[in-house]
Amino acid sequence: MTVAVLLLIATLLPLLSFAILAFVGKRMGNPLAGIVGTFFISASFVCSLAAMIVWLSLDVAEGRAFGFGGQPILKTYDWLPGGLQIGIYVDSLTVVMFSMITLVAALVHVFSLGYMADDRRFPRFYTYLGLFSFSMLALVLSGTLLQLFIFWELVGLCSYLLIGFWYEKKTASNAAIKAFVTNRIGDVGFIIGLGLLFCHLGNATFPGIWGSLGNAGMAQSGQVLILPMVQGSAGAAELSGSLQKAEPQFTRFPHVTTTMLTLMGIALFCGAIGKSAQFPLHVWLPDAMEGPTPVSALIHAATMVAAGVYLVGRIFPILTPDAKLFIAIIGCVTMTIAALIAMAQTDIKRVLAYSTLSQLGLMILAMGIGSWVGGLFHLITHAFFKALLFLGAGNVIHAAHHEQELTEFGGLWRKIPYTAITFGVAVFAIAGVGVTVGDTMIGFAGYFSKDLILHHAGAFAWLATKEGGHTAYWLFFWLPTIVAYLTAFYMTRCWMLTFAGRPRNQKLYDRARETPVMYIPLAVLSVLSVIGGTALGARQMIESAAKETNNYFDPRLRPPAVANPTAKVAQPAHFAGFSTAWQNAGAYAHGDTSTIASDAYRLGERSLKYVSFAFVVGIGLGILVYSKGLTIPNALLRVPPLRWLNIWLYRAMYFDEMYAGVVVACTMALATVAAVVDRYVIDALVNLSARVVRRGAVLARLCDQFVLDRAVSATAEMVQEIGAAARAPQTGRIRTYVTALMVAVALSLAGAIIVVLSTTGR
Amino acid sequence: MELTLAISSSPIIGLNHYLVLAAFIFVCGLLSMMLKRNAIGILMGVELILNAANINLVAFNRFSYAYSPDHKPMLDGQVFAIFVIVLAAAEAAVALAIFLNYYNNFNTIDVERAQTLKG
Amino acid sequence: MNSIASILALSVDAQTVPAVLFYLFAGISAASALGVVLSRNIVRTAVCLLFTLVGVAGLYFLLESEFLAAVQLVVYVGGTLILIVFGVMLTSKSPFSRFEPKAGEVVVAIAACIILFAALVMAIRSADFRPQTLDTTQKYPVVALGQALLGDYLVPFELASVVLLVVMIGAAYLAKSRKRDDKRAVARGAATLSQKARQWS
């Protein structure tokens, strides 16, 4: 519980920083606002670190091996009555993510003190950073999928604000809008997935979802699953006991087909496609490099874009094999095309952006083929060295006065040696430099995580084909292998062009210099890039988290849920091995000692020999080609096929142009159709109704004119005439009145006398 | 015709003689009210009418003493006549003041012009 | 009465003298009243009215109402008529300005008045007033009139005096010529007065 409180404090500190800076940041001015923001995020990091230490000491107290961590903590509160809950879920993954995020964020805060020093909106920058840190931490801490979605959108907003931070630049504001809109496309899928999940489960917590849908992972196509009742925290034992007497309290449809589950998984994964910039929606991330470089390091390399991988990790138990296949394919495609494009880019930040895409694709692929540990472990190590790369690039850009073209650099290691060294460390880390001697692995951080993924990929491919699956499953191994070579090559190219050789722009070279406050974070990150793979217990903690999560789907820990045998349908032959492979590929690592698991492990290990020396080849080739600056590559590019390839890759395979063409053309065509419909159908209807109304109005007018108006006028005239008649005698002349009076009196008197005379008989 | 008949038939002057005279004066007053356009002429017509009434009052008073209960002289008619004279004087004063005002405002004494308040 | 009769006609009897006098005064009154109607000059109208009023005063003498006759002469002839003449004088640009009625009006008015007069005369003739023969011994002493005014008729008498007071004030107010700058004039006067007071002190 102490851990949960510490993590909650760590989450709320950046929010406090945001609130303070939002209100008085502008008054604090240039250095002070940054120092305040840095102080709060550092405090948050201290809290996270304390939480991690407490968490690790828990298992020691409980008599287990170091690195396992405590039991997962789930704390929920009813937000709205009727099952809408919010809460926090803490397991080892959460703790590790917290430490990673707060550390990178703190270092980026420090780095920005130097990098953003001259900016007019310096306090606002720190305000946004505070809000982003809070959102990201809260996302990781979320206990339910709905809550995760809320903070998911909030980090999207921060990303938008920070990409468009220099909104005076047209490209920056366009990039911000592009990122936001592209993310919305993915989020539509996320919302659909959320809706499906709500429909079947209500707003369940993560363990609740896993408990009820966890057997999806081993379900065969076409099966019907019977959902158990979902309650606050459903443990495995409690779940199996309650399976028979399940009451559909939150479950509106107790039966769910695997097709529905597949759809749900793919829909939720759409959110990850948008946020982690996977293949169809990857176009926003390179453009997001228009934002300040520290932002690129924090948001668009280390943390936010990795949230998609985190999401896949959280929904992993409910993914069906079909959905996982889809995820694996998407990851694989992204990884490959991004690595190819990165080879031809000349903007240093774009090289890093495509490198990020490639690595994110690798993580997604790892999740797709079932390497839960590999994917998330690579997330952590990648965060360290990619943040390092971006901050190093930021240092270069800052030193070069905002010049980003690799062709303008060269020989900078003499001017900014610390940056050159740390950048080189990061290149080694991402290239996966390391060797295995016997059972001991020595190397940089990327070596361990990549090794884990590729090992799993080899075992997976072997198992999948062994069961009669399609040979194409081997692509899931061979493509990452090729990409490992490519990665080593293009990262070396980047370093060589920047730091080695002779200066290509003497003026730029002369002015370049380093700022101390900016290479302190680089030093810290480079240390982590070296030891991140072995020390810190990151891998062990992720493995323990995997065990917690896998409780809900590992077939050896639970009896299978009640499957409907009649609904079993024949599977296509090429698919046959996939689910088995998926189940068993990582089994050995999880302690399974059965024959098939150990065979798979050994085969995966054997296949590693194809990739073990990728870094040697890649780095060597890179040094060879770029040893004399741009001379050799320029010579190579005179060969027409290579030149065309280079142009094709340089333009990022024309994705932007294709989208512009297709989307805009489709929109225009749709608009034309709509215009035609509008003009000839809707307008006609409107005109018709207008004409009818007009005719009616004419009739009404005639009626008005000749009946009503006449009546009214006649009344008025009558009244007027009566009035005139009544007015006529009222001359205002006193003599007229007297005369009238007298005439009246005389006439009445005369009349009276005549009557009297006639009655008296005279 | 009637008048001459009345005179010739009874040499003794009776009540009817006074009444006929009063009627004549009354009619003359009325005529001058109806025909005079001068406001003061109308005022004079009013005075004539009041005098006609006074003649009636005094004549009835004179010829009806016999009806008094204790044969004391009855003075009601004369008292009323005095009041009429007093009020006629008052009326003349007020009327003349109004006419003066009217003359100041309209610069004429013609009553035909006094129709500003007519609707 | 007898003395007047003896002066005018010694030979005629006691009943003839009052009759002659009546016709004399009645003739003066009636003729003058007709003159009031017919005269187009306002000054002449006033003169005719004077004779009517004098004739009526004479009739009051014949009716043994000497006090009333005196009041008629004093108040009417001496007061009201003078007032009217003053009115004529004040309101007339020229004393001979005249306003003629329309012919149609004249015809209507005369016709109405003839009918009215005929009707009145017929009514008087047909009415039975049972007139007594004049008791010449009956006198109407002024003392009795005074007693009546301050006795039975005290309240109307006092009311009449109040009416006269009100009329006096009202007439004076109405006839006053209004000037817009009265108050300013007063203020100016006060200012000069205070200036003088300062000089003197």
Side-chain angles (χ1 to χ4, degrees):
Chain A
M1 210 58 230
T2 327
V3 178
V5 171
L6 279 170
L7 293 185
L8 212 56
I9 292 169
T11 308
L12 293 177
L13 279 172
L15 181 65
L16 189 62
S17 155
F18 164 70
I20 291 171
L21 290 175
F23 286 113
V24 294
K26 208 165 185 180
R27 215 168 303 154
M28 283 178 175
N30 195 329
L32 187 60
I35 289 165
V36 168
T38 311
F39 170 77
F40 276 103
I41 194 71
S42 304
S44 178
F45 170 62
V46 169
C47 284
S48 303
L49 206 62
M52 193 171 181
I53 290 165
V54 170
W55 183 261
L56 289 174
S57 66
L58 278 175
D59 47 317
V60 177
E62 287 167 20
R64 281 173 296 182
F66 174 79
F68 192 80
Q71 292 294 318
I73 300 167
L74 177 71
K75 203 80 184 150
T76 58
Y77 304 93
D78 279 343
W79 186 17
L80 290 176
L84 201 52
Q85 296 170 317
I86 55 168
I88 59 174
Y89 178 71
V90 178
D91 64 359
S92 301
L93 178 64
T94 314
V95 177
V96 172
M97 289 288 282
F98 255 76
S99 297
M100 185 272 284
I101 292 166
T102 49
L103 176 61
V104 175
L107 292 175
V108 164
H109 272 73
V110 173
F111 183 82
S112 302
L113 285 176
Y115 191 84
M116 301 297 286
D118 304 329
D119 201 273
R120 282 192 296 122
R121 291 191 291 273
F122 182 82
R124 187 187 292 184
F125 183 76
Y126 276 91
T127 314
Y128 290 163
L129 280 187
L131 182 62
F132 169 77
S133 307
F134 160 72
S135 313
M136 190 68 207
L137 293 173
L139 187 154
V140 174
L141 198 60
S142 294
T144 69
L145 209 52
L146 176 69
Q147 200 182 343
L148 189 145
F149 179 70
I150 293 168
F151 294 109
W152 182 271
E153 293 298 326
L154 209 51
V155 292
L157 169 74
C158 293
S159 166
Y160 166 79
L161 291 173
L162 284 166
I163 293 171
F165 187 71
W166 289 321
Y167 52 76
E168 296 91 342
K169 264 165 68 183
K170 187 71 186 157
T171 48
S173 62
N174 279 350
I177 293 166
K178 186 175 179 180
F180 205 69
V181 171
T182 314
N183 268 302
R184 288 288 77 67
I185 297 170
D187 289 342
V188 169
F190 197 165
I191 288 175
I192 292 171
L194 266 179
L196 289 173
L197 201 71
F198 266 50
C199 191
H200 292 294
L201 295 176
N203 183 37
T205 56
F206 287 125
I209 296 169
W210 301 337
S212 51
L213 293 175
N215 49 9
M218 36 173 279
Q220 306 293 314
S221 287
Q223 264 185 330
V224 175
L225 303 175
I226 297 175
L227 301 176
M229 187 178 73
V230 177
Q231 267 172 344
S233 63
E238 181 195 341
L239 197 67
S240 56
S242 67
L243 266 176
Q244 304 304 321
K245 47 178 184 179
E247 290 176 48
Q249 189 182 342
F250 296 148
T251 311
R252 276 176 235 161
F253 307 99
H255 294 73
V256 55
T257 62
T258 44
T259 313
M260 178 59 73
L261 272 180
T262 305
L263 280 177
M264 193 192 293
I266 290 175
L268 288 171
F269 177 63
C270 280
I273 291 181
K275 193 64 79 188
S276 285
Q278 294 303 296
F279 156 60
L281 302 180
H282 67 276
V283 288
W284 69 267
L285 188 58
D287 284 10
M289 295 304 133
E290 293 292 341
T293 310
V295 168
S296 305
L298 176 62
I299 300 180
H300 303 121
T303 57
M304 187 193 81
V305 289
V309 183
Y310 175 80
L311 173 70
V312 175
R314 282 301 187 209
I315 62 171
F316 194 67
I318 67 167
L319 294 173
T320 58
D322 305 38
K324 278 172 185 150
L325 183 60
F326 177 80
I327 291 171
I329 290 168
I330 291 288
C332 205
V333 170
T334 312
M335 172 187 70
T336 313
I337 62 171
L340 287 172
I341 292 170
M343 306 256 294
Q345 295 300 309
T346 55
D347 184 318
I348 184 169
K349 282 184 76 179
R350 281 187 172 260
V351 172
L352 296 181
Y354 280 107
S355 153
T356 307
L357 278 179
S358 179
Q359 299 301 312
L360 287 170
L362 181 64
M363 294 177 215
I364 294 286
L365 169 68
M367 301 310 265
I369 58 175
S371 179
W372 200 90
V373 177
L376 288 165
F377 184 37
H378 194 56
L379 193 161
I380 303 290
T381 53
H382 173 258
F384 292 142
F385 56 70
K386 190 48 64 70
L388 175 55
L389 282 172
F390 266 104
L391 293 186
N395 232 347
V396 171
I397 292 165
H398 193 250
H401 298 276
H402 293 278
E403 177 57 60
Q404 300 190 6
E405 286 297 309
L406 287 172
T407 50
E408 299 292 311
F409 298 148
L412 283 173
W413 70 273
R414 279 183 290 268
K415 302 288 289 211
I416 44 174
Y418 295 105
T419 310
I421 291 166
T422 49
F423 203 91
V425 169
V427 169
F428 281 175
I430 195 171
V433 174
V435 286
T436 309
V437 183
D439 286 340
T440 322
M441 295 164 84
I442 305 162
F444 290 84
Y447 174 64
F448 297 92
S449 50
K450 272 193 177 180
D451 182 78
L452 202 59
I453 293 171
L454 287 167
H455 188 167
H456 189 101
F460 176 85
W462 182 80
L463 276 168
T465 46
K466 178 180 164 287
E467 294 277 326
H470 203 279
T471 330
Y473 283 133
W474 274 106
L475 284 176
F476 288 147
F477 173 72
W478 284 114
L479 282 176
T481 305
I482 293 167
V483 166
Y485 285 90
L486 292 179
T487 307
F489 175 74
Y490 68 71
M491 288 316 298
T492 312
R493 164 181 178 265
C494 184
W495 192 90
M496 291 295 285
L497 285 177
T498 308
F499 297 103
R502 277 179 315 212
R504 283 182 290 276
N505 187 334
Q506 194 61 43
K507 201 173 136 195
L508 183 148
Y509 175 81
D510 291 339
R511 291 194 305 177
R513 58 178 180 80
E514 280 181 309
T515 315
V517 74
M518 286 164 68
Y519 61 71
I520 291 169
L522 297 185
V524 175
L525 280 171
S526 55
V527 168
L528 286 170
S529 297
V530 175
I531 64 166
T534 45
L536 308 174
R539 180 173 178 171
Q540 287 84 346
M541 287 185 73
I542 288 170
E543 276 171 357
S544 84
K547 284 200 182 71
E548 293 297 336
T549 312
N550 289 0
N551 273 343
Y552 295 99
F553 62 86
D554 196 315
R556 280 161 291 108
L557 296 178
R558 272 197 319 110
V562 181
N564 190 348
T566 56
K568 198 164 188 171
V569 292
Q571 294 177 29
H574 73 270
F575 194 76
F578 187 79
S579 56
T580 337
W582 182 84
Q583 281 170 42
N584 293 326
Y588 185 80
H590 295 154
D592 189 354
T593 50
S594 63
T595 322
I596 189 163
S598 51
D599 280 359
Y601 184 78
R602 234 167 287 125
L603 276 162
E605 202 169 38
R606 198 189 306 163
S607 57
L608 271 179
K609 69 171 183 271
Y610 299 112
V611 76
S612 290
F613 296 99
F615 68 92
V616 180
V617 177
I619 292 175
L621 211 63
I623 292 173
L624 205 67
V625 172
Y626 291 96
S627 56
K628 288 179 179 167
L630 287 169
T631 338
I632 296 169
N634 284 344
L636 282 175
L637 287 179
R638 289 203 194 92
V639 185
L642 280 178
R643 192 168 71 227
W644 296 335
L645 186 68
N646 183 58
I647 290 169
W648 183 56
L649 291 177
Y650 179 72
R651 302 299 298 271
M653 300 184 182
Y654 295 103
F655 269 110
D656 279 341
E657 289 79 359
M658 199 166 71
Y659 284 171
V662 173
V663 174
V664 171
C666 285
T667 312
M668 290 301 286
L670 203 66
T672 313
V673 171
V676 168
V677 169
D678 201 32
R679 189 163 304 153
Y680 294 105
V681 180
I682 295 175
D683 275 10
L685 281 175
V686 169
N687 288 343
L688 186 69
S689 67
R691 208 162 293 152
V692 168
V693 169
R694 245 179 80 177
R695 289 284 143 79
V698 168
L699 234 131
R701 197 193 67 188
L702 288 178
C703 173
D704 216 28
Q705 211 167 16
F706 292 106
V707 181
L708 292 178
D709 275 11
R710 279 288 162 84
V712 171
S713 308
T715 313
E717 276 163 22
M718 201 173 73
V719 169
Q720 215 171 16
E721 274 162 19
I722 291 171
R727 206 176 60 152
Q730 308 293 318
T731 56
R733 294 171 187 164
I734 189 160
R735 290 168 45 247
T736 320
Y737 300 158
V738 174
T739 310
L741 184 68
M742 282 309 112
V743 169
V745 170
L747 288 179
S748 51
L749 262 180
I753 288 166
I754 287 165
V755 168
V756 168
L757 290 183
S758 61
T759 48
T760 49
R762 291 264 297 270
Chain B
M1 182 66 182
E2 296 278 345
L3 186 63
T4 49
L5 265 174
I7 291 166
S8 61
S9 63
S10 62
I12 299 167
I13 301 302
L15 180 59
N16 282 4
H17 293 79
Y18 288 97
L19 294 185
V20 170
L21 176 66
F24 183 76
I25 291 173
F26 172 72
V27 168
C28 283
L30 267 185
L31 264 179
S32 70
M33 272 178 77
M34 283 189 265
L35 294 178
K36 296 286 178 194
R37 285 176 62 181
N38 192 320
I40 292 172
I42 289 170
L43 181 62
M44 290 178 186
V46 173
E47 300 294 345
L48 282 182
I49 288 169
L50 290 172
N51 272 285
N54 264 0
I55 290 169
N56 274 6
L57 286 171
V58 177
F60 275 115
N61 183 68
R62 177 72 182 92
F63 285 97
S64 59
Y65 65 90
Y67 300 108
S68 77
D70 49 355
H71 277 264
K72 272 187 175 175
M74 288 177 59
L75 289 165
D76 294 0
Q78 289 197 26
V79 170
F80 273 105
I82 285 169
F83 285 140
V84 168
I85 288 168
V86 167
L87 290 179
E91 170 256 333
V94 172
L96 279 168
I98 290 169
F99 292 154
L100 276 178
N101 240 339
Y102 173 69
Y103 179 77
N104 281 340
N105 286 333
F106 290 85
N107 209 23
T108 182
I109 201 68
D110 186 1
V111 287
E112 296 295 280
R113 298 279 300 279
Q115 51 182 357
T116 320
L117 289 179
K118 179 194 148 207
Chain C
M1 229 5 180
N2 289 333
S3 58
I4 296 167
S6 58
I7 291 166
L8 286 176
L10 290 171
S11 59
V12 293
D13 60 344
Q15 287 193 335
T16 312
V17 174
V20 170
L21 284 174
F22 171 77
Y23 284 119
L24 177 65
F25 290 131
I28 289 171
S29 295
S32 304
L34 211 57
V36 166
V37 175
L38 295 178
S39 163
R40 288 173 179 178
N41 188 323
I42 190 70
V43 182
R44 279 193 198 148
T45 312
V47 173
C48 287
L49 184 64
L50 167 71
F51 282 107
T52 311
L53 295 176
V54 169
V56 171
L59 289 175
Y60 291 161
F61 274 112
L62 285 181
L63 289 168
E64 306 290 341
S65 309
E66 290 87 1
F67 179 74
L68 208 56
V71 167
Q72 170 87 357
L73 282 177
V74 171
V75 175
Y76 250 122
V77 180
T80 309
L81 198 65
I82 295 300
L83 199 62
I84 286 170
V85 172
F86 265 106
V88 169
M89 190 183 77
L90 286 171
T91 58
S92 161
K93 279 176 187 167
S94 86
F96 303 102
S97 65
R98 51 182 69 166
F99 318 99
E100 298 303 325
K102 292 184 192 111
E105 287 175 354
V106 175
V107 169
V108 168
I110 287 173
C113 284
I114 286 172
I115 293 171
L116 196 61
F117 183 64
L120 281 173
V121 168
M122 285 172 73
I124 290 164
R125 277 177 59 86
S126 59
D128 181 15
F129 291 121
R130 289 192 290 163
Q132 308 291 313
T133 49
L134 272 174
D135 182 4
T136 47
T137 58
Q138 183 77 34
K139 296 296 177 194
Y140 297 94
V142 180
V143 177
L145 193 62
Q147 281 172 346
L149 277 176
L150 293 176
D152 295 343
Y153 295 100
L154 181 64
V155 175
F157 181 79
E158 293 297 334
L159 276 178
S161 68
V162 171
V163 166
L164 279 176
L165 181 68
V166 169
V167 161
M168 191 176 77
I169 296 167
Y173 173 76
L174 277 175
K176 187 187 78 174
S177 70
R178 295 190 186 94
K179 282 180 185 169
R180 297 259 160 76
D181 52 355
D182 270 356
K183 281 180 186 171
R184 251 181 286 157
V186 169
R188 224 182 297 129
T192 4
L193 207 66
S194 60
Q195 206 176 4
K196 279 182 182 173
R198 245 179 281 131
Q199 283 173 356
W200 292 337
S201 62

